[in-house]
Amino acid sequence: MAKPITDRDRAAVRRLHGEGKSRNTIAREIGRSAATVSKIAVGEGLTFSGGARVAAATQARRADATARREQLADDALDGALGQVAKTTVAEAARDARDHATAARALAEVHARVADLARHTATGGTAGSMLDRLADALLGPSGGDGEGGR
């Protein structure tokens, strides 16, 4: 009977895959067959096409996405603060309301993107990152429900 796959096996495969090791190298290092490593990889959503090159590119892409999320959150907060400042000097009540509305929208974007950054930093994987970012920016329905206004 085959030895059952353990959480320790899964963790080792994730770690070694993250280091860019090949399927066969991982199998040798953890003392399991290449087929078992492949089975674990499929369950963990890992692939071995491209080996270390793919792992390095994936890690670079994740780091870039993290930096871009942080920049987006910072820009949204800066924009919100700028709109708040404009409400105090607006000459017309309508302009003050419009600036306050823009400030609120930008503050919501900041909060949602910051929440998204926290979620992905803690390993959340529900839905795609792009879906979650779109929801953060546009709301779950993909828009404001006012005919694109």
Side-chain angles (χ1 to χ4, degrees), residues 52-147:
R53 227 177 353 101
V54 171
T58 299
Q59 187 173 7
R61 193 174 81 240
R62 284 181 182 151
D64 182 54
T66 298
R68 291 171 57 208
R69 277 191 298 277
E70 290 171 0
Q71 184 63 51
L72 179 60
D74 288 347
D75 290 349
L77 185 58
D78 290 344
L81 293 172
Q83 291 297 321
V84 167
K86 290 179 182 180
T87 62
T88 60
V89 297
E91 294 182 17
R94 179 182 173 116
D95 291 341
R97 185 195 69 216
D98 290 346
H99 290 303
T101 300
R104 179 175 161 248
L106 287 163
E108 288 176 2
V109 167
H110 168 74
R112 289 178 178 180
V113 172
D115 184 52
L116 174 63
R118 278 190 300 278
H119 179 72
T120 53
T122 59
T125 58
S128 76
M129 181 193 66
L130 292 177
D131 289 340
R132 291 191 311 270
L133 183 56
D135 287 349
L137 294 173
L138 303 173
S141 66
D144 60 6
E146 297 182 33

